[in-house]
Amino acid sequence: MASRAPVRFPGSGGPGVNKHLSPRSARSDSMGERRRVSAWSEDGGARAGGDPGGGGGRLVPLLRGIFHVEKTSCDVSLTSSRLLWSPIRPDTPGSSKVQAQPQEASIELKDIFSVKLKRRRLAGQEKGGTLLGLTIFVCIRKGHKLKEKAIDFHNLSEDFCDIWHRQLKEILNGFPNRPKCLKVIINPHSHKGEAPNVYYRHVAPLFKLADIQAHVTETNYKGHALTLLKECELQEYDGIVCVGGDGTVSEVVHGLLLRAQMDAGKTVNGNLSPVRAPLPLGIIPSGTTDVLAYSLHGIKHPVTAALHIIMGNIQPVDACTFSTEDKLLRFGFSSMFGFGGRSLALAEKHRWMPSSQRRDFAVIKTLASLKPDNCELSFLPISSQQLPFHHKRKHEDSLPEDKDEWKHIGGELLNVSIMAIPCLCSMAPGGLAPNTRLNDGTMELIIVRNTSRPEFVKHLKRYATQKNQFDFPFVETHLVKEVKLCPQNTQNGNGFYEHTELSEDLHPWNIDGDLLEASSEVHVRLHPELINLYGSNIEELDEAKATCNCL
């Protein structure tokens, strides 16, 4: 059972190794140097050894030997891009029949995330044991869902298996962006306290299997994650992982981007031109709606989120700054003012209720006292020259030709949504903002003017269907890059401007599921690809539409 001596190649370690391929050295102070890499992309991340084509002709094996796979003796070859095996069928003496060629199976090395020596151990034995061979752990995709699969390669030779194990480990260590050390932040109160169980049951075992060190902190109070990220030694980690709902993710995103400005020596004010986040962020969904996780993964599934992190799949995402004239209020991805802000403000007053009941209660009560806000709204639309390619056919005729020409709208508005991501969720499987993408350099502005309660309810119900939720005379949408919204302090019949359970001077905003109260004009600006998230662009997958299965 001898094997050929290992053949060195770029990415396998030793002399001539491409050191820049290691995850730690791939990281830089500027996220601009970190390439977007997916385990299913066709760029350099898919070919550990710089394999030309990765598929065409037969490549010279790095290793070759015999293993038993599924109780069948197989000829196994390791190339710089694939692991291949085919059953060994001995010739039958004296037979004149032409035997069919044995069917060859293979897996691409870019889909492998771990390799372990397989041993038989006695009960309670933690080390040693009888060697059985190797186990290869592969990440496979089914629709939007990712899952692990283990394949056993049996061989009883210690030396033989050790050579294969070391060679495979060296190749896996050469893939860019795969993290080795992560900072994990868990909100133990998220969605009935499920976040710790989600992490320790579904995610931690996968991180351990992939040899990822995880430094875990459970937050104790609101704002704890923000404080932690301001003080944390980020250079010790390859990425940050957030386990929680939309509010927790919002706080971590804000903290990570705020830390980037501090490290860059930026003055944080309303006119900030932000630098990019220093580390990618992974999101393990364990909340009620999980809008960002669902928009990123196309599914609410902790194992899928964990495997995206393990495989080093990087997705640049656009983000926004929310500011007043002299103060930065928040970094975020989506916001709602009016009905969306009021319903969240009311829900926050009833946190003692279960999350799903609290949300429904707040929506129904806010609908019962539905009233518009008198606002002045200004926005800078995307011109036809700036329009991303995938929008051209649908929107080009309705967009202005001139650049940097502000538009103005005033009057009574029921709701204003400003969103830089599609915002998929259980209530809107097609997205709250279906005309924007994760990183296309646009925000979708959705304006709902004053109308009757029944008509507004019809508009809301459309989000849960395949019908066009914007096909109403009181709804208009625009692709924009900046928005300014200023509520006007008009009075009602009693001489007061009413806001649901809020003081007269504060106006509620729903920013990524987190409540923010502002007393003056809010300026929303888009910043393309401001942060890298672990995940993929579901628009680029073969399945054009996700099937929502979140709660």
Side-chain angles (χ1 to χ4, degrees):
M1 299 228 180
S3 127
R4 295 186 183 182
V7 179
R8 295 293 181 184
F9 70 102
S12 68
V17 62
N18 287 338
K19 297 294 185 183
H20 67 278
L21 290 178
S22 68
R24 285 190 179 275
S25 57
R27 190 177 68 212
S28 65
D29 292 335
S30 169
M31 291 295 287
E33 294 184 19
R34 183 185 289 273
R35 295 180 298 146
R36 175 186 168 188
V37 177
S38 166
W40 297 273
S41 66
E42 294 185 358
D43 59 9
R47 302 179 188 114
D51 226 22
R58 173 69 63 179
L59 298 173
V60 176
L62 305 173
L63 293 174
R64 187 174 181 181
I66 297 175
F67 289 89
H68 275 75
V69 184
E70 296 181 349
K71 299 181 180 180
T72 301
S73 184
C74 294
D75 180 8
V76 183
S77 298
L78 174 66
T79 73
S80 58
S81 64
R82 286 179 177 272
L83 183 65
L84 310 96
W85 64 96
S86 57
I88 298 174
R89 294 180 181 174
D91 295 333
T92 304
S95 174
S96 60
K97 293 183 179 180
V98 178
Q99 295 188 359
Q101 285 290 101
Q103 187 173 2
E104 184 178 72
S106 70
I107 50 178
E108 294 189 60
L109 299 187
K110 64 184 177 62
D111 294 333
I112 299 174
F113 68 89
S114 183
V115 55
K116 300 291 183 183
L117 290 170
K118 182 178 182 180
R119 297 182 183 275
R120 180 189 292 118
R121 293 183 175 131
L122 301 175
Q125 184 180 2
E126 295 183 358
K127 296 183 179 180
T130 303
L131 179 71
L132 300 178
L134 299 172
T135 300
I136 306 293
F137 295 91
V138 184
C139 176
I140 60 176
R141 179 188 290 278
K142 185 176 182 181
H144 290 143
K145 183 179 290 187
L146 304 184
K147 61 180 182 178
E148 61 170 307
K149 180 180 180 180
I151 305 174
D152 292 325
F153 292 79
H154 291 103
N155 188 299
L156 303 182
S157 170
E158 287 272 3
D159 292 339
F160 179 72
C161 289
D162 182 64
I163 291 173
W164 279 76
H165 180 257
R166 284 188 288 107
Q167 181 72 83
L168 283 165
K169 290 282 287 185
E170 289 174 355
I171 293 173
L172 296 185
N173 288 335
F175 285 116
N177 298 333
R178 292 195 180 185
K180 297 300 180 186
C181 188
L182 295 169
K183 180 64 183 178
V184 180
I185 301 173
I186 303 176
N187 179 2
H189 306 292
S190 178
H191 193 48
K192 304 177 185 177
E194 290 182 2
N197 180 58
V198 167
Y199 176 76
Y200 289 110
R201 182 178 179 182
H202 299 289
V203 179
L206 287 173
F207 284 174
K208 182 178 180 181
L209 189 61
D211 298 321
I212 295 174
Q213 294 182 356
H215 298 227
V216 180
T217 298
E218 294 191 10
T219 56
N220 298 321
Y221 53 88
K222 187 173 183 179
H224 189 181
L226 183 61
T227 302
L228 182 69
L229 288 168
K230 285 182 179 180
E231 301 172 352
C232 185
E233 298 292 335
L234 294 183
Q235 66 272 17
E236 298 178 1
Y237 304 106
D238 298 310
I240 307 295
V241 175
C242 173
V243 188
D246 289 328
T248 308
V249 173
S250 175
E251 182 178 329
V252 171
V253 167
H254 179 64
L256 190 58
L257 285 167
L258 200 60
R259 172 61 182 271
Q261 314 317 308
M262 293 168 53
D263 291 346
K266 289 275 188 176
T267 301
V268 179
N269 55 31
N271 298 316
L272 175 70
S273 296
V275 297
R276 305 186 74 197
L279 296 175
L281 173 65
I283 300 168
I284 307 297
S286 56
T288 305
T289 53
D290 297 297
V291 165
L292 183 55
Y294 198 94
S295 299
L296 191 64
H297 306 135
I299 191 171
K300 180 183 175 180
H301 189 237
V303 170
T304 294
L307 286 172
H308 276 300
I309 296 169
I310 291 168
M311 302 301 289
N313 295 335
I314 297 293
Q315 174 62 49
V317 177
D318 300 340
C320 308
T321 50
F322 300 84
S323 59
T324 59
E325 184 177 351
D326 59 351
K327 181 182 179 182
L328 173 69
L329 301 175
R330 196 82 175 184
F331 288 99
F333 301 100
S334 64
S335 62
M336 287 186 283
F337 175 87
F339 177 81
R342 285 200 183 115
S343 59
L344 177 62
L346 184 58
E348 289 297 306
K349 297 283 187 179
H350 296 79
R351 292 200 68 85
W352 53 270
M353 299 175 66
S355 56
S356 58
Q357 294 180 21
R358 181 172 70 242
R359 181 188 64 197
D360 293 343
F361 165 80
V363 168
I364 292 171
K365 189 169 182 181
T366 307
L367 279 172
S369 58
L370 184 67
K371 57 178 66 69
D373 290 279
N374 191 24
C375 302
E376 287 187 2
L377 182 68
S378 304
F379 60 91
L380 187 59
I382 297 289
S383 67
S384 58
Q385 292 87 352
Q386 300 166 324
L387 192 68
F389 177 77
H390 64 267
H391 287 306
K392 288 283 185 185
R393 193 172 293 177
K394 187 175 182 180
H395 298 281
E396 191 169 20
D397 294 339
S398 62
L399 290 174
E401 292 292 335
D402 298 331
K403 296 182 180 181
D404 300 330
E405 181 180 341
W406 284 84
K407 306 294 182 183
H408 305 278
I409 293 175
E412 295 186 331
L413 307 179
L414 284 177
N415 192 73
V416 177
S417 299
I418 308 164
M419 300 181 171
I421 62 174
C423 293
L424 304 175
C425 66
S426 59
M427 297 174 291
L432 296 174
N435 294 323
T436 193
R437 299 292 183 268
L438 292 173
N439 64 335
D440 66 353
T442 70
M443 296 187 296
E444 185 163 15
L445 171 64
I446 305 166
I447 304 168
V448 182
R449 296 181 181 273
N450 192 22
T451 187
S452 66
R453 184 181 294 108
E455 287 298 302
F456 184 65
V457 171
K458 287 181 183 178
H459 162 65
L460 294 180
K461 286 183 175 180
R462 285 275 184 96
Y463 281 99
T465 70
Q466 301 299 322
K467 296 181 180 179
N468 183 3
Q469 63 264 42
F470 307 137
D471 189 19
F472 293 93
F474 54 88
V475 179
E476 59 182 277
T477 66
H478 305 270
L479 291 176
V480 302
K481 52 186 177 182
E482 287 190 59
V483 177
K484 295 179 181 179
L485 192 152
C486 184
Q488 302 298 299
N489 289 322
T490 56
Q491 296 180 340
N492 61 15
N494 298 322
F496 296 100
Y497 188 79
E498 296 183 19
H499 289 284
T500 305
E501 300 194 26
L502 289 170
S503 68
E504 180 181 349
D505 296 328
L506 294 178
H507 306 276
W509 284 75
N510 180 340
I511 299 181
D512 295 330
D514 217 8
L515 179 64
L516 181 137
E517 297 172 356
S519 58
S520 59
E521 178 184 87
V522 173
H523 186 183
V524 186
R525 290 183 295 158
L526 180 72
H527 305 279
E529 300 188 355
L530 191 60
I531 189 169
N532 280 350
L533 303 180
Y534 287 111
S536 62
N537 192 332
I538 60 175
E539 295 292 333
E540 296 178 358
L541 299 178
D542 292 336
E543 294 184 20
K545 187 167 289 189
T547 302
C548 182
N549 72 342
C550 50
L551 299 178

